[in-house]
Amino acid sequence: MTEKFKKDKKTDSFIFVITVAGIGYLLLMIIILSAVSINTTSTLQDNASSTMKQIADITDYEIDEVLRANEQALSTVLQNNENIKVFENGTETQRAIAAQNMLQLLRNAALAGADINTLFFYDLINDTYISRISDDTTYSESTSIEMAIRELNEEYPDNMPTQWFYRQIGNKNYLLRLYKNKKRMLGAVVPLSKLRGGKMMNDVVSFTFVDKEGKIIEQFGFGEYPDQETVSEASEVVAPGASVWANGKRYLMVRNKSDGVDISLLIGMTREAVYRGFQTLQVVIISLVVAAILLLVAITLYIRAVVYAPLAELLSAMKRIEQGDQEIRLTKEALTSEFRQIDTSFNQMMDTIVNLKMKSYEERIQFDEATLKYVQLQIKPHFFLNALTTIHSMSYQDRGDDIREYIERLSRNVRYLFKAGLHTVQLSEEVDHARDYMAMQEILYPGCVFNYIEVDEELNDYAVPQLIIHTILENIYKHAVSVDGLTSILISAHLEDKDDEAMCHICVEDDGEGFPAEFLEQIQADEMTVKENGHGVGLWNMKKTLSLMYRRNDLIVFSNKEPHGSKVDIWIPRRVKRQSSVWKI
């Protein structure tokens, strides 16, 4: 029944209903916006890819036409082989005439197409180079081409590449197609500038010629040029005729499909250029969706400020009240009169509840203080009785000097014990008192105790309950130390984390017989039965003192060591849990 009530309460919550409705509306707007955006970007990307593929197809056709025209010219020259035979078998005069005829033949072959730039014939036997160059080719460029042809003859002493290949000559880039045997060489040279086409060039598309390793040869066009890293990435992944995004979707790239050429042409478009074609209607739809989302955000912020924030503060205050914080009050001024009235009524109700509980609370404090005083009064007389017993024992042993020294040290201990109203002292004071106490006991047990004290300097001013170490030492001297053997007492204090809180960890150990099993069981179960002249009075009161001062029952642990001996671990928090008139920290 309770679980069903909680479930119904949650689903009937105003905040829950408004939140679910708002989230649903926001998700719907986001879905609409996402659908419009995805559809638009997909459409624009498809359009851009289609445009670049069309450009690639046309460019492929133009390049093929240029190369085909040059190959057709070379074929025409090869078919007229009469002059070529003269170079092989004729006299010097005949070869001179054949050279003029060959030059005219090259010129006539070049006239067949406007895209033919340079045709040449190279007689390797007689080292005769004849070329026809276009009117826009300079003399230095022609000379560089001739030198490159001669170098290629040395580079390829046998057969030439069987397809068009790329070569940089001077400061220009060229494609070459060569036919060669041991006696002669015939070829065509086409500048890459002849392959640029231009029929489909626009202000957003860039063209990049790359070699077979993917390195940039030449770039042209009016679009933004991609860098070498982008070109290399696209060259590795894009298939001829396909489109692909490169450089983290910075560029959309398409590669041409020309065959018989060892270079490729990459056509690219930036992301900004691809998506600049948003239609007005699509922009309007997106704007409306964004406006709807902004309106929802504004309404949500208003509801949060006017309704949700006051309710959240009220619920938070009620939760803190359940955890025991009765000082909580609603301090923020609400924006509506209804919530201001609720805040005023809530604060008045809390004032009434606190006033009603104050009497009961003060009575509990007085009871705790009375209990603590009783416990402390039990500890101090216990020490005095032990001291008087010791003096009485030494008087029968005729140890007058020892009695006087013992009484002198006892007086210093008494002054420490009777510091009026002091429940906590600095750790250094407690340790000094422990040294005085052990020095006083040395008179009674000369040479029977070895003690070692190790305390971190940073803990010298740490506040600890008075007599916390003294009580344990008193128990050790009573039950573990004897004149028949040597007893070791080790005292240490270090800063240590316990339950995610930095505390002073005090450890007192001895190598005596240890605590009786019955004592350990009873003190662990908080069912201590104090026996006369047995373990219990001081140690039990010490545990009670820690519980009253720090409101915790896990700050002291009694245990036995192997093979024998006792150990007491104490953790002292930095501050007591609750201050009162008798606590001076």
Side-chain angles (χ1 to χ4, degrees), residues 34-47:
S34 300
V36 172
S37 177
I38 292 173
N39 179 68
T40 302
T41 54
S42 177
T43 301
L44 292 176
Q45 181 176 329
D46 291 343
N47 291 339

Side-chain angles (χ1 to χ4, degrees), residues 134-151:
S134 63
D135 295 336
D136 57 352
T137 303
T138 64
Y139 175 77
S140 60
E141 291 174 350
S142 176
T143 303
S144 298
I145 291 173
E146 181 180 349
M147 293 178 60
I149 298 301
R150 295 180 182 276
E151 292 174 358

Side-chain angles (χ1 to χ4, degrees), residues 28-137:
L28 179 61
M29 292 298 102
I30 292 176
I31 291 172
I32 295 175
L33 178 60
S34 300
V36 172
S37 177
I38 292 173
N39 179 68
T40 302
T41 54
S42 177
T43 301
L44 292 176
Q45 181 176 329
D46 291 343
N47 291 339
S49 297
S50 177
T51 299
M52 288 196 295
K53 289 177 183 178
Q54 183 180 5
I55 293 174
D57 291 339
I58 295 176
T59 305
D60 286 341
Y61 176 78
E62 293 178 348
I63 292 175
D64 290 343
E65 285 295 306
V66 172
L67 299 182
R68 189 180 299 110
N70 281 267
E71 289 184 348
Q72 183 64 39
L74 292 176
S75 177
T76 301
V77 175
L78 286 173
Q79 290 175 2
N80 191 346
N81 58 3
E82 295 179 358
N83 290 316
I84 298 176
K85 292 179 180 179
V86 173
F87 281 101
E88 297 178 5
N89 304 315
T91 62
E92 183 175 351
T93 301
Q94 292 174 330
R95 287 197 300 271
I97 296 173
Q100 292 297 324
N101 294 335
M102 179 60 71
L103 178 59
Q104 186 60 41
L105 181 61
L106 293 176
R107 290 175 178 174
N108 294 335
L111 292 176
D115 295 322
I116 300 174
N117 186 78
T118 300
L119 298 176
F120 70 89
F121 174 80
Y122 185 17
D123 180 15
L124 303 179
I125 300 299
N126 300 292
D127 193 25
T128 301
Y129 178 83
I130 303 169
S131 67
R132 181 273 175 189
I133 60 175
S134 63
D135 295 336
D136 57 352
T137 303

Side-chain angles (χ1 to χ4, degrees), residues 437 445 448-450 472-489 508-516 533 535 560 564-567:
Y437 177 76
Y445 302 100
C448 297
V449 175
F450 167 77
I472 302 173
L473 290 177
E474 200 172 11
N475 187 77
I476 293 173
Y477 274 99
K478 179 177 180 181
H479 298 284
V481 177
S482 68
V483 295
D484 298 330
L486 178 64
T487 302
S488 298
I489 301 176
V508 182
E509 306 177 57
D510 68 78
D511 58 355
E513 295 182 358
F515 295 115
N533 296 328
H535 294 83
N560 288 331
H564 55 80
S566 65
K567 180 180 179 182

